Amino acid sequence: MFNGMNYAFWKIRMKIFMESIDSFIWEVVIHGPYVPMQVVNDEEVAKPRSEWSESEKKKAQYDLVAKNIITSSLTMDEFFIISQCSSGKEMWEVLEVTHEGTGDVKRSRKHSLIQEYELFRMQPEESIADVQKRFTHIVNHLTGLGKEFDKEELNIKVLKCLDRSWQPKVTAISESRDLSKLSTAALFGKLMEHEQELKRLKEQETVERKPKGLALKASAQSDINEQKEDAEHDETISLLTKRFSRFLKKKSRDRNQQKKRYPKSNESNSSNYTCFGCSKTGHSKMDCPNNQSKDKYASKKVERRKGRRAYISWEENEVSSTSSSSTESEETNLCFMVKDEGSISDSVSEFSMESNNYDQLLVAFKETHDEANRLAVICSKLQKVNNVLAPKVKTL
């Protein structure tokens, strides 16, 4: 059913259908209905229907058949356009003007199609079947508008519209075939045959190159994995460096605070010391003349080497009932003692040892960092070897 779309397609089909029933039906559509005539007083007038012969009735019937064929192939909207027409020719002309336009419209459309025909080219990656479809569509429209083509012209146009990759085949066809006798369909058939052969060769080359492609793909994948591992390693090293820098800054800040809390001027001034053995000033307990037990001092020195801890103790002096001296008031002293030597003077040496520990720790970190970089390089090389050997293990 014709609904107003693709009129050129419907027009060709209707012509073929009418000619397949009787060729005189299409003659009626083109030239109008057959009317029997007779001569009266040297003038041709329509013969009365009652005087028609059987052959004349049959010829007049063709117009009715044409009208029936046309109206039966239209939708309701298209039928209303030609419902008032009295003959098949009139119906055909009304549909033609409605969907193709007047003579000026036809000429304008014809010129547009001719320009499209002249600029026709094969598109990139386009198949021969698609080229044939587009080319045939343009040629059919031009033929419907009155443009005529011969075989040689169409064949030359088809060969010229192909791209550079088809040049060897175009040369072979031009030299071995007579283009004036070769039909356009046969030409497209030759091109399709060559296209199938090219596809087969391309697939064969793809199969032969497939292992190399897999190797290249595996190599590319290993490179990507290596880059990811290097990035993760760099991030880890950077994070470790930041944390260690914070630790060193914190240690340096704590050491400066301790130096401010215990200035060297006070530490070096022994007159500010108070002996916790005899409660006199001017010396420490270690230098107290009342300290008679050297063995006890030696044992304390051994304990000092095992570990150093700072603690706060409260020392209370109790009143002795057996003492002949006068009763002394109970005294509570808050003191900061060092277990090894029991004096504040040793804090100076402790601070110097902390400074040495900081330098040693910095050197140890640099050595550890260099060792980590060396191990990372070895790990990366082993990972590359693993990526290369993995596909071989899978194939075994």
Side-chain angles (χ1 to χ4, degrees):
M1 299 293 287
F2 177 62
N3 58 357
M5 303 296 293
N6 297 322
Y7 173 75
F9 172 73
W10 176 83
K11 179 180 178 180
I12 295 173
R13 290 192 62 188
M14 289 302 297
K15 178 183 178 181
I16 296 172
F17 180 71
M18 292 179 185
E19 289 178 341
S20 66
I21 297 175
D22 196 322
S23 60
F24 196 75
I25 297 176
W26 180 248
E27 293 293 332
V28 169
V29 172
I30 298 301
H31 302 290
Y34 174 76
V35 178
M37 305 296 290
Q38 65 179 356
V39 179
V40 177
N41 297 328
D42 297 331
E43 293 181 2
E44 285 187 355
V45 295
K47 184 185 292 188
R49 185 177 292 273
S50 60
E51 297 178 2
W52 287 2
S53 62
E54 292 297 329
S55 61
E56 291 175 342
K57 289 181 180 179
K58 185 178 180 180
K59 291 180 181 180
Q61 190 69 21
Y62 287 136
D63 184 61
L64 299 177
V65 175
K67 290 169 62 177
N68 181 46
I69 293 173
I70 294 173
T71 55
S72 299
S73 63
L74 301 176
T75 59
M76 184 179 295
D77 294 336
E78 296 297 324
F79 173 77
F80 287 145
I81 296 175
I82 51 94
S83 60
Q84 302 298 324
C85 298
S86 59
S87 65
K89 179 182 179 181
E90 188 178 357
M91 291 179 178
W92 190 262
E93 289 176 349
V94 170
L95 291 173
E96 193 173 29
V97 172
T98 301
H99 298 287
E100 287 187 349
T102 61
D104 295 336
V105 175
K106 287 183 180 180
R107 281 191 296 272
S108 176
R109 192 162 181 269
K110 183 179 179 180
H111 292 323
S112 176
L113 289 173
I114 290 174
Q115 183 179 8
E116 186 176 354
Y117 170 83
E118 292 175 351
L119 298 176
F120 184 82
R121 294 290 183 274
M122 183 180 185
Q123 301 297 328
E125 303 298 331
E126 187 178 18
S127 64
I128 295 297
D130 294 336
V131 173
Q132 182 182 12
K133 186 183 299 182
R134 292 195 303 115
F135 184 78
T136 306
H137 180 76
I138 296 173
V139 171
N140 289 340
H141 278 74
L142 286 173
T143 304
L145 294 174
K147 178 70 174 177
E148 295 182 356
F149 301 95
D150 56 9
K151 292 182 179 180
E152 186 176 7
E153 181 183 358
L154 293 176
N155 292 334
I156 292 174
K157 181 61 182 177
V158 171
L159 294 177
K160 286 185 177 181
C161 76
L162 301 177
D163 55 20
R164 184 181 294 273
S165 61
W166 288 87
Q167 191 61 37
K169 185 63 176 177
V170 170
T171 304
I173 293 176
S174 300
E175 294 178 353
S176 62
R177 297 283 181 175
D178 187 2
L179 298 180
S180 61
K181 297 180 180 180
L182 183 66
S183 64
T184 307
L187 177 60
F188 277 113
K190 292 291 182 180
L191 295 175
M192 288 180 183
E193 180 182 355
H194 183 66
E195 184 182 32
Q196 293 296 328
E197 184 66 17
L198 292 177
K199 287 183 179 179
R200 185 187 66 80
L201 294 175
K202 187 175 181 180
E203 291 176 358
Q204 185 176 356
E205 292 177 357
T206 303
V207 172
E208 292 176 355
R209 296 178 181 177
K210 189 173 182 181
K212 296 181 180 179
L214 290 176
L216 292 174
K217 184 177 181 181
S219 177
Q221 187 66 26
S222 64
D223 293 339
I224 295 174
N225 295 334
E226 181 181 354
Q227 293 177 0
K228 290 183 179 179
E229 292 176 358
D230 293 341
E232 292 177 357
H233 175 71
D234 294 340
E235 291 179 358
T236 304
I237 295 299
S238 177
L239 181 61
L240 182 61
T241 304
K242 289 181 180 179
R243 290 183 177 179
F244 190 74
S245 299
R246 294 174 185 172
F247 171 75
L248 295 180
K249 289 180 180 179
K250 183 178 180 182
K251 290 289 293 182
S252 178
R253 184 168 57 253
D254 294 342
R255 187 172 66 255
N256 294 332
Q257 291 178 357
Q258 290 177 356
K259 288 182 178 180
K260 292 180 180 179
R261 186 179 300 174
Y262 302 101
K264 291 184 178 180
S265 60
N266 293 334
E267 292 174 356
S268 59
N269 190 2
S270 60
S271 61
N272 295 329
Y273 296 162
T274 301
C275 180
F276 294 97
C278 62
S279 300
K280 294 181 179 180
T281 60
H283 63 275
S284 63
K285 186 177 180 180
M286 182 181 64
D287 299 328
C288 182
N290 296 330
N291 190 2
Q292 300 295 331
S293 180
K294 295 183 179 180
D295 294 335
K296 185 176 181 181
Y297 169 74
S299 63
K300 288 183 179 181
K301 189 174 182 180
V302 171
E303 292 178 358
R304 182 187 70 242
R305 293 177 181 175
K306 293 182 180 179
R308 297 183 177 186
R309 295 182 180 178
Y311 64 91
I312 300 175
S313 67
W314 290 87
E315 179 177 325
E316 298 179 355
N317 294 325
E318 298 180 354
V319 180
S320 176
S321 59
T322 60
S323 178
S324 60
S325 60
S326 62
T327 305
E328 297 177 355
S329 62
E330 185 175 350
E331 180 180 8
T332 303
N333 297 320
L334 177 65
C335 61
F336 177 82
M337 300 183 66
V338 180
K339 187 177 179 181
D340 55 343
E341 295 179 357
S343 64
I344 302 177
S345 61
D346 293 337
S347 60
V348 177
S349 60
E350 182 179 357
F351 293 152
S352 62
M353 292 181 67
E354 286 183 1
S355 178
N356 295 331
N357 291 337
Y358 168 77
D359 296 336
Q360 294 176 0
L361 186 61
L362 182 60
V363 173
F365 170 74
K366 292 181 179 179
E367 293 177 353
T368 305
H369 184 268
D370 295 339
E371 182 68 16
N373 289 335
R374 188 180 66 82
L375 294 176
V377 173
I378 296 174
C379 181
S380 177
K381 293 180 179 179
L382 294 176
Q383 185 65 30
K384 291 181 180 179
V385 176
N386 186 29
N387 292 334
V388 173
L389 295 178
K392 297 182 180 180
V393 173
K394 292 182 181 179
T395 56
L396 296 178

